[in-house]
Amino acid sequence: MASNKKLLVLPGDGIGPEVMAQVARVAEWFDRKRAIGFDLEEDLVGGAAIDAHGTPLADATMDKALAADAVLLGAVGGPKWDDLPFEQKPERGLLRLRKEMALFANLRPALCFAPLVEASTLKPEVVSGLDLMIVRELTGGVYFGEPRGIETLSDGQRRGVNTQVYTTEEIRRVAAVAFELARKRANKLCSVEKANVMESGVLWREEVTRLHGESYLDVELSHMYADNCAMQLVRAPKQFDVIVTDNLFGDMLSDAAAMLTGSLGMLPSASLGAADETGRRRALYEPVHGSAPDIAGRGKANPLACVLSFAMLLRYSLDQGAEADLLENAVEVVLASGKRTPDILQPGHEAVSTEAMGDAVLAELDRLGG
Ligand code: IPM
Ligand code: MG
C-alpha cells in the first residue's frame, strides 16, 4: 500500500482558519473514502506566527514545509500587524515559503462555473464558458529584486527603491511550464510584459520567443503588453487559453481574472517548483483571496477557493486527476443547487455559512463518490 501523503496545513490569518477547516474535512473524506492516505500536520504562518513566535514563519515551520509532500495555506495578514516593520510583516512569511521552496510557477486558473455566470459583474456572454490559466512567475521580479529599500537622501528627502530583474533561466523555466500546460489545453499561450518600456520585458519577450522556436512550435504563441492584457481580460477574456507573465503583472492580472469567475472567493492556485529526478515537485496550494479581516470569524467566507486549491493538490502533486475532477464536480453541483456564501449570493438563492458550504460539498462527495 502506498504511504500516506504528508500535508503541512498553514491556515494563517483572518478567514484562513475557517476556510481551511472545511478543506481539512474534505481531505479527511478522501482519506476515508478514496484510498488516498493523508497525514495532516498544522502549523502557524503570518500574523498568527508573529503572535506566537515573533516571526511570520518560524525556521521549524520552514523545515516542515520543505519536507512535506505539499503545503496548504489559507491567507496571511490583517490590520493588527499593519504597522510592523516591513521585514516582520505577515506577508513576509508567505514570500519566504515561496522563495525557499523555489516555487517559481504559480498557476491561477480562472474558470467560470456555469451556475455562477450571473454572479460575475460582467455580462453573461462575456464570461460563460470561460476557462483560462494564468501562469505567474513567483520567485523573481520586483518582489525579490535587489537593490531595494528606503533611504534618506542628503537633502532630507526619502527615496524608495525596488528592482525589476529577470534572468534568461528564470524566464525560460516558467515559460516552459506554461507551454507544457498549453499543450494539455487549447494549445495557445499569450506572453505578457511591457517590452515597450522595460528592458526586463524586452528580454522576457525574446527568451519566450526563443524557447518557442527551440521546443514548442506546435503551441500558438502571442505577445501582449500588460496594460492591454488587463483591458482584454475584461473586454473579451475567452480569447485567452494560457497567459504567462511576471510576478507583479501576474499578481494584478489574476485578481482581475478572479472577478470574471464571479468572486475572488472562487479562485484557487498552485505554486510549483522544479521537478526532481523522480518527477516530484515542491508545491504549495492557496486560495488567491486574502485574509479578508472585515468578514473573518463570522461564517461568511467562501471556502470554495481553498477547496478548489485542494483539488489542484490532488491533480498536480498526487497525479490524481480523476479525484480532482470528482471534487470539482461536487463544487459545481453544490453551486447549481443554489447554495451560496454571501460573495456569490444572488436573488433566489440560498445563503449558507462557510461551514454549511463545507457540509454541502461533503454531502455531494458522498453522493458522487462515497
Ligand atoms: C497574492 C497576494 C500576495 C502577493 C501577498 C499576500 C503577498 O496578493 O498571492 O496574490 O502579492 O503575491
Ligand atoms: Mg495578489
Side-chain angles (χ1 to χ4, degrees), residues 98 108 136 143 250-252 254-255 288:
R98 289 174 179 172
R108 299 189 159 188
R136 167 187 176 193
Y143 273 62
D251 180 46
M252 298 188 286
S254 61
D255 264 34
V288 171

Side-chain angles (χ1 to χ4, degrees), residues 70-72 98 103-109 133-138 177 181 267-273 281-288 305 308-317:
V71 179
L72 266 164
R98 289 174 179 172
L103 306 172
F104 63 85
N106 181 216
L107 281 46
R108 299 189 159 188
M133 172 77 87
I134 295 182
V135 180
R136 167 187 176 193
E137 200 290 326
L138 203 61
V177 169
L181 275 168
L267 214 71
S269 85
S271 304
L272 307 175
R281 293 175 184 272
R282 289 229 164 88
L284 179 146
Y285 299 84
E286 58 176 319
V288 171
L308 293 169
S309 299
F310 185 75
M312 293 188 85
L313 184 156
L314 292 169
R315 178 171 288 119
Y316 292 108
S317 280

